[in-house]
Amino acid sequence: NPQAKPAQAKQASAADKKSEEPVIDPKTKQLIEDLNNKLLRSVAELENYKKRAEQQISEIRKYALTDFAKHITESAENFYRIMDHAPEELINQDETLKKFYEGIKFTKEDILKTFQKHGIERIFPLNQQFDHHQHQAVSQIESDEVEGKILQIVQAGYTLNGRIIKEAMVITAKAKQSK
C-alpha cells in the first residue's frame, strides 16, 4: 500500500524525536527547578521593590512642601490677625481704609484657595474636644465646661494632605477645684 508508507514514516519520525530528547538525571532536574524558583522569587521581589519605590516617590512628592508650608502658614496667620483686629468703625468711615481692608481680605482668601489647591488645611478647633494628635495644650483654665474642651486658640494648626505639619496650640477646660 503506497499511502501507508508516508503515515508509517511520520510515526517513525515522531518516535525518533522522542528518543532524541535528552534524559535529565534527578540532580540536574532538581537544580533546574531550584533555579526556576529562584528566578520567580527574584522577579517577584523586583516587582515589590518597584511598587515600594513608586509609593515612596509618591509620598515624597505629596509632602515635599512640608517645610515651606510650615513657614507660609505663619503669613496666613498674620492675615487672620489683621482681619480679627481691624477696627471696623474706622474702616467703615474711611473709604481709603475700606479699600485697603478689602485688599487684605481678598489676599487672605486667595492664599487660602492656594492652600486648599495644594492640600494645606487650617485646624481651628474652638469648642472641640482636645485631641493630642492635632492639638498642643499650652494651658488649662478651670471651667464649668467639659474637661478637655478647647476654650481658646493660641495658634491655629495646619495639615498638609491630611498629615499634621503644625499642631494647634490651645487652652483647654479643666474641672474646678472644690474649696
Side-chain angles (χ1 to χ4, degrees), residues 123-150:
I123 302 170
F124 198 82
L126 189 62
N127 296 321
Q128 295 178 11
Q129 196 61 25
F130 178 79
D131 176 356
H132 70 278
H133 295 292
Q134 297 183 13
H135 314 135
Q136 178 182 353
V138 294
S139 183
Q140 291 184 319
I141 298 174
E142 287 186 8
S143 172
D144 292 329
E145 295 288 340
V146 175
E147 190 161 339
K149 182 177 180 179
I150 297 172

Short mmCIF file of all heavy atoms in Angstrom, two decimals, residues 123-150:
data_model
loop_
_atom_site.label_atom_id
_atom_site.label_comp_id
_atom_site.label_asym_id
_atom_site.label_seq_id
_atom_site.Cartn_x
_atom_site.Cartn_y
_atom_site.Cartn_z
N ILE A 123 -6.36 74.11 61.00
CA ILE A 123 -7.03 73.46 62.14
C ILE A 123 -7.35 74.56 63.15
O ILE A 123 -6.44 75.18 63.71
CB ILE A 123 -6.10 72.41 62.81
CG1 ILE A 123 -5.66 71.34 61.82
CG2 ILE A 123 -6.79 71.79 64.01
CD1 ILE A 123 -4.57 70.43 62.37
N PHE A 124 -8.63 74.81 63.35
CA PHE A 124 -9.08 75.83 64.31
C PHE A 124 -10.17 75.18 65.16
O PHE A 124 -11.36 75.33 64.90
CB PHE A 124 -9.61 77.07 63.57
CG PHE A 124 -9.69 78.28 64.45
CD1 PHE A 124 -8.55 79.04 64.70
CD2 PHE A 124 -10.88 78.64 65.03
CE1 PHE A 124 -8.63 80.16 65.52
CE2 PHE A 124 -10.97 79.75 65.85
CZ PHE A 124 -9.83 80.51 66.09
N PRO A 125 -9.75 74.44 66.20
CA PRO A 125 -10.67 73.56 66.93
C PRO A 125 -11.42 74.18 68.11
O PRO A 125 -11.69 73.50 69.10
CB PRO A 125 -9.72 72.47 67.42
CG PRO A 125 -8.44 73.21 67.69
CD PRO A 125 -8.37 74.25 66.61
N LEU A 126 -11.79 75.43 68.02
CA LEU A 126 -12.50 76.09 69.11
C LEU A 126 -13.78 75.32 69.45
O LEU A 126 -14.53 74.92 68.57
CB LEU A 126 -12.84 77.53 68.73
CG LEU A 126 -13.40 78.41 69.85
CD1 LEU A 126 -12.39 78.56 70.98
CD2 LEU A 126 -13.79 79.78 69.31
N ASN A 127 -13.98 75.10 70.75
CA ASN A 127 -15.14 74.39 71.30
C ASN A 127 -15.16 72.89 70.98
O ASN A 127 -16.17 72.23 71.21
CB ASN A 127 -16.47 75.04 70.87
CG ASN A 127 -16.61 76.44 71.42
OD1 ASN A 127 -16.24 76.71 72.55
ND2 ASN A 127 -17.10 77.34 70.59
N GLN A 128 -14.09 72.37 70.45
CA GLN A 128 -13.99 70.92 70.21
C GLN A 128 -13.29 70.27 71.39
O GLN A 128 -12.71 70.95 72.25
CB GLN A 128 -13.20 70.64 68.93
CG GLN A 128 -13.89 71.14 67.67
CD GLN A 128 -13.06 70.88 66.43
OE1 GLN A 128 -12.07 70.16 66.46
NE2 GLN A 128 -13.46 71.50 65.33
N GLN A 129 -13.31 68.96 71.42
CA GLN A 129 -12.62 68.22 72.47
C GLN A 129 -11.14 68.12 72.11
O GLN A 129 -10.79 67.94 70.95
CB GLN A 129 -13.25 66.82 72.62
CG GLN A 129 -12.90 66.10 73.89
CD GLN A 129 -13.36 66.82 75.15
OE1 GLN A 129 -14.29 67.61 75.15
NE2 GLN A 129 -12.68 66.56 76.24
N PHE A 130 -10.27 68.24 73.08
CA PHE A 130 -8.83 68.17 72.88
C PHE A 130 -8.44 66.82 72.28
O PHE A 130 -8.91 65.77 72.72
CB PHE A 130 -8.10 68.39 74.22
CG PHE A 130 -6.61 68.28 74.11
CD1 PHE A 130 -5.86 69.33 73.61
CD2 PHE A 130 -5.95 67.13 74.51
CE1 PHE A 130 -4.49 69.24 73.50
CE2 PHE A 130 -4.58 67.02 74.40
CZ PHE A 130 -3.85 68.08 73.91
N ASP A 131 -7.58 66.85 71.29
CA ASP A 131 -7.05 65.64 70.64
C ASP A 131 -5.54 65.79 70.58
O ASP A 131 -5.03 66.63 69.84
CB ASP A 131 -7.64 65.49 69.24
CG ASP A 131 -7.08 64.31 68.46
OD1 ASP A 131 -6.17 63.61 68.97
OD2 ASP A 131 -7.54 64.08 67.33
N HIS A 132 -4.82 64.97 71.34
CA HIS A 132 -3.37 65.12 71.42
C HIS A 132 -2.66 64.86 70.09
O HIS A 132 -1.50 65.20 69.94
CB HIS A 132 -2.80 64.23 72.53
CG HIS A 132 -2.85 62.76 72.22
ND1 HIS A 132 -3.98 62.01 72.42
CD2 HIS A 132 -1.92 61.93 71.71
CE1 HIS A 132 -3.74 60.77 72.06
NE2 HIS A 132 -2.51 60.69 71.62
N HIS A 133 -3.36 64.30 69.11
CA HIS A 133 -2.76 64.09 67.79
C HIS A 133 -2.74 65.38 66.96
O HIS A 133 -1.92 65.52 66.06
CB HIS A 133 -3.51 63.01 67.01
CG HIS A 133 -3.42 61.65 67.63
ND1 HIS A 133 -2.25 60.94 67.69
CD2 HIS A 133 -4.36 60.89 68.24
CE1 HIS A 133 -2.47 59.79 68.29
NE2 HIS A 133 -3.74 59.73 68.65
N GLN A 134 -3.68 66.29 67.27
CA GLN A 134 -3.80 67.51 66.47
C GLN A 134 -3.56 68.79 67.26
O GLN A 134 -3.35 69.83 66.66
CB GLN A 134 -5.21 67.60 65.86
CG GLN A 134 -5.53 66.51 64.90
CD GLN A 134 -6.91 66.71 64.28
OE1 GLN A 134 -7.50 67.77 64.39
NE2 GLN A 134 -7.40 65.70 63.61
N HIS A 135 -3.61 68.68 68.56
CA HIS A 135 -3.55 69.89 69.39
C HIS A 135 -2.42 69.79 70.42
O HIS A 135 -2.07 68.70 70.85
CB HIS A 135 -4.88 70.09 70.14
CG HIS A 135 -6.09 69.92 69.28
ND1 HIS A 135 -7.18 69.18 69.68
CD2 HIS A 135 -6.37 70.36 68.03
CE1 HIS A 135 -8.09 69.19 68.72
NE2 HIS A 135 -7.63 69.90 67.71
N GLN A 136 -1.94 70.96 70.79
CA GLN A 136 -0.94 71.05 71.85
C GLN A 136 -1.53 71.97 72.92
O GLN A 136 -1.75 73.16 72.65
CB GLN A 136 0.38 71.61 71.31
CG GLN A 136 1.43 71.77 72.37
CD GLN A 136 2.71 72.39 71.80
OE1 GLN A 136 2.84 72.58 70.61
NE2 GLN A 136 3.62 72.71 72.68
N ALA A 137 -1.79 71.42 74.09
CA ALA A 137 -2.35 72.23 75.17
C ALA A 137 -1.23 73.04 75.81
O ALA A 137 -0.25 72.47 76.29
CB ALA A 137 -3.03 71.34 76.20
N VAL A 138 -1.38 74.35 75.78
CA VAL A 138 -0.36 75.22 76.39
C VAL A 138 -0.78 75.68 77.77
O VAL A 138 0.05 76.16 78.53
CB VAL A 138 -0.02 76.42 75.47
CG1 VAL A 138 0.65 75.95 74.20
CG2 VAL A 138 -1.24 77.26 75.17
N SER A 139 -2.07 75.51 78.07
CA SER A 139 -2.56 75.92 79.37
C SER A 139 -3.94 75.31 79.60
O SER A 139 -4.58 74.82 78.66
CB SER A 139 -2.66 77.45 79.44
OG SER A 139 -3.08 77.85 80.73
N GLN A 140 -4.37 75.35 80.88
CA GLN A 140 -5.71 74.90 81.23
C GLN A 140 -6.34 75.97 82.10
O GLN A 140 -5.67 76.64 82.87
CB GLN A 140 -5.66 73.58 81.99
CG GLN A 140 -5.22 72.40 81.16
CD GLN A 140 -5.30 71.11 81.95
OE1 GLN A 140 -4.95 71.07 83.12
NE2 GLN A 140 -5.77 70.06 81.30
N ILE A 141 -7.66 76.08 81.96
CA ILE A 141 -8.41 77.06 82.75
C ILE A 141 -9.53 76.30 83.47
O ILE A 141 -10.22 75.48 82.85
CB ILE A 141 -9.03 78.15 81.85
CG1 ILE A 141 -7.95 78.95 81.13
CG2 ILE A 141 -9.93 79.07 82.66
CD1 ILE A 141 -8.50 79.94 80.12
N GLU A 142 -9.68 76.59 84.76
CA GLU A 142 -10.80 75.99 85.48
C GLU A 142 -12.09 76.51 84.87
O GLU A 142 -12.23 77.71 84.60
CB GLU A 142 -10.74 76.35 86.97
CG GLU A 142 -9.65 75.62 87.71
CD GLU A 142 -9.67 75.87 89.21
OE1 GLU A 142 -10.63 76.49 89.72
OE2 GLU A 142 -8.73 75.43 89.88
N SER A 143 -13.01 75.58 84.64
CA SER A 143 -14.23 75.97 83.94
C SER A 143 -15.35 74.99 84.27
O SER A 143 -15.11 73.87 84.70
CB SER A 143 -13.96 75.96 82.43
OG SER A 143 -15.14 76.13 81.71
N ASP A 144 -16.59 75.45 84.04
CA ASP A 144 -17.75 74.58 84.17
C ASP A 144 -17.93 73.71 82.92
O ASP A 144 -18.77 72.82 82.90
CB ASP A 144 -19.02 75.42 84.39
CG ASP A 144 -19.00 76.10 85.76
OD1 ASP A 144 -18.41 75.53 86.70
OD2 ASP A 144 -19.56 77.21 85.87
N GLU A 145 -17.17 74.01 81.88
CA GLU A 145 -17.24 73.25 80.63
C GLU A 145 -16.69 71.84 80.85
O GLU A 145 -16.01 71.57 81.84
CB GLU A 145 -16.41 73.94 79.53
CG GLU A 145 -16.93 75.29 79.12
CD GLU A 145 -18.23 75.23 78.32
OE1 GLU A 145 -18.55 74.16 77.76
OE2 GLU A 145 -18.93 76.26 78.27
N VAL A 146 -16.96 70.97 79.91
CA VAL A 146 -16.45 69.59 79.96
C VAL A 146 -14.93 69.65 79.95
O VAL A 146 -14.32 70.39 79.16
CB VAL A 146 -16.95 68.79 78.73
CG1 VAL A 146 -16.34 67.40 78.71
CG2 VAL A 146 -18.45 68.74 78.72
N GLU A 147 -14.32 68.86 80.82
CA GLU A 147 -12.86 68.85 80.89
C GLU A 147 -12.29 68.43 79.54
O GLU A 147 -12.76 67.49 78.90
CB GLU A 147 -12.37 67.89 81.98
CG GLU A 147 -10.89 68.02 82.23
CD GLU A 147 -10.46 67.44 83.57
OE1 GLU A 147 -11.31 67.30 84.47
OE2 GLU A 147 -9.27 67.16 83.69
N GLY A 148 -11.29 69.18 79.07
CA GLY A 148 -10.65 68.89 77.80
C GLY A 148 -11.24 69.66 76.62
O GLY A 148 -10.71 69.62 75.52
N LYS A 149 -12.34 70.38 76.86
CA LYS A 149 -12.92 71.19 75.79
C LYS A 149 -11.98 72.36 75.50
O LYS A 149 -11.45 72.98 76.41
CB LYS A 149 -14.30 71.71 76.19
CG LYS A 149 -14.98 72.52 75.11
CD LYS A 149 -16.37 72.95 75.55
CE LYS A 149 -17.05 73.75 74.47
NZ LYS A 149 -18.41 74.15 74.87
N ILE A 150 -11.80 72.67 74.24
CA ILE A 150 -10.90 73.76 73.85
C ILE A 150 -11.65 75.07 73.99
O ILE A 150 -12.66 75.30 73.33
CB ILE A 150 -10.37 73.54 72.43
CG1 ILE A 150 -9.53 72.26 72.41
CG2 ILE A 150 -9.56 74.74 71.97
CD1 ILE A 150 -9.09 71.81 71.04
#
